[in-house]
Amino acid sequence: MTSPTLQGLIERLNQAPFILPNEQVIWAPRRATPEAIAQVENALGQPIAGALREFLLLRGGGGLKSLPLSGIDPLHPLARNRGSILGDTLHWRAHGMPGRYIAIQRDAADQAPLCLDAQGGSEPPVIRWASGQAQPVASGFIDFYAASLEPLFRQAGI
């Protein structure tokens, strides 16, 4: 079995609303730019590497309406609102999350964000920050995204 590509996951996800009427896919209105990503990296003091960087350049953020990925708006990269990588990360850092983690998704209950471990190399692992502990989720962003979407893809038959 070959590993999924980010573009392949996005293409499959775009098919879901046509097959599963209760699902919505909402992408960010604009793709992130390298300059916008650099501004956020500077503000966070950590690199945004690997497939997450590629995702931001391809889509900017978003995805499933029920569990969107935090993003970067190239017109307002330093926005601190919910749903922005900067805003979500700073929110959780204010609640004790270490600076090495970058929030990429806030859970529905807003209790345990999913994060990239920015000090984890060129393809950083994904962790869940819960109860003051980092819990491993996936070896990288693509593995995390594929595992998150696979139940939906199975249900939709795509």
Side-chain angles (χ1 to χ4, degrees):
M1 183 173 135
T2 61
S3 297
T5 65
L6 189 55
Q7 187 63 43
L9 291 170
I10 290 169
E11 288 171 6
R12 288 174 73 192
L13 184 55
N14 283 334
Q15 297 174 38
F18 299 107
I19 299 167
L20 299 169
N22 293 330
E23 291 293 341
Q24 286 185 314
V25 176
I26 301 174
W27 298 113
R30 290 168 288 280
R31 298 174 181 182
T33 62
E35 297 79 15
I37 293 171
Q39 287 183 44
V40 173
E41 289 173 324
N42 187 48
L44 294 174
Q46 295 291 343
I48 297 173
L52 175 62
R53 181 183 204 85
E54 181 185 354
F55 172 78
L56 294 168
L57 292 168
L58 285 170
R59 284 296 172 186
L64 282 178
K65 183 179 179 183
S66 58
L67 285 172
L69 294 169
S70 303
I72 298 174
D73 183 338
L75 299 180
H76 309 283
L78 299 179
R80 295 177 179 218
N81 56 298
R82 183 182 175 124
S84 74
I85 284 182
L86 182 61
D88 290 347
T89 301
L90 293 178
H91 169 81
W92 283 103
R93 284 184 181 175
H95 289 87
M97 185 178 77
R100 69 183 289 160
Y101 302 126
I102 297 173
I104 61 172
Q105 187 178 68
R106 289 170 77 161
D107 67 330
D110 208 19
Q111 303 272 327
L114 292 164
C115 305
L116 213 63
D117 182 348
Q119 295 177 8
S122 61
E123 189 55 59
V126 176
I127 61 99
R128 180 179 317 278
W129 179 254
S131 303
Q133 302 269 336
Q135 303 164 353
V137 171
S139 62
F141 180 79
I142 290 179
D143 290 342
F144 151 73
Y145 206 38
S148 297
L149 296 174
E150 198 53 46
L152 172 77
F153 294 158
R154 269 197 309 275
Q155 182 183 0
I158 53 176

